[in-house]
Amino acid sequence: MRTVRRLGPDDWRAARAVRLASVRDAFGERSAFYREQAGLEEAAWRAVLTGHARFGAFDDDVPAGTVGWRPDGADGVLYGMWVHPDARGTGLAVELVDAVLAVARAHGSRTLRLKVEPGNARARAFYRKTGFRTVEAPGDDRAPAGLVLMERPLG
């Protein structure tokens, strides 16, 4: 059975498992980024889970997806979105975005922003379908390090 839940500081092991699954899928276990994430201590995981909202999706106890949210002034940032390849197209990504939208609204965020790779057409199309619009693209003066910046007003 699939569940999506917010992970608090006491859920650091589950947060670590789902985050490592996402990084493994995207970058591989041999990547420096995977090794960096795998090397984080319990205190680091707890700290992130205290200041940010991290959601984990699990099929039984197997990581199926994750997404994070953090405040950024009067706005919020959606980050670290990942859905296991077997769960793509099942609606899980929408559930994860909806969870972040709820937290962002409860926090009083005016806008929710995210960054996505320009070549990730599937993700960009998904975010457009869920109400995000492109505000900066590679080549724009304000574009973040070759990434596409998208946002969604939360009014």
Side-chain angles (χ1 to χ4, degrees):
M1 181 171 103
R2 183 170 72 203
T3 59
V4 175
R5 61 188 173 96
R6 185 170 177 174
L7 303 170
D10 290 340
D11 300 310
W12 72 271
R13 286 181 184 87
R16 180 182 189 274
V18 73
R19 179 68 174 147
L20 290 181
S22 72
V23 174
R24 182 183 308 113
D25 183 48
F27 301 100
E29 286 186 16
R30 293 183 179 182
S31 71
F33 188 51
Y34 180 87
R35 289 192 309 273
E36 173 191 307
Q37 294 289 293
L40 292 176
E41 300 289 329
E42 175 183 343
W45 289 103
R46 286 180 178 275
V48 168
L49 294 167
T50 299
H52 299 192
R54 166 67 60 185
F55 294 90
F58 301 89
D59 283 326
D60 296 316
D61 288 330
V62 178
T66 187
V67 68
W69 174 86
R70 66 175 173 78
D72 185 22
D75 297 324
V77 176
L78 181 151
Y79 70 93
M81 176 78 169
W82 170 76
V83 174
H84 189 280
D86 293 343
R88 293 177 186 157
T90 66
L92 177 56
V94 172
E95 289 181 60
L96 291 167
V97 168
D98 286 347
V100 167
L101 288 169
V103 167
R105 285 187 177 114
H107 186 268
S109 295
R110 297 174 311 186
T111 303
L112 185 61
R113 291 189 317 271
L114 62 87
K115 298 173 190 172
V116 64
E117 294 284 338
N120 193 339
R122 182 176 181 160
R124 291 175 66 190
F126 167 75
Y127 291 129
R128 278 191 302 276
K129 188 172 78 174
T130 58
F132 288 86
R133 65 179 179 85
T134 300
V135 293
E136 299 170 12
D140 292 349
D141 290 340
R142 300 170 297 153
L147 298 174
V148 175
L149 180 62
M150 301 180 81
E151 68 180 21
R152 176 179 169 165
L154 298 179

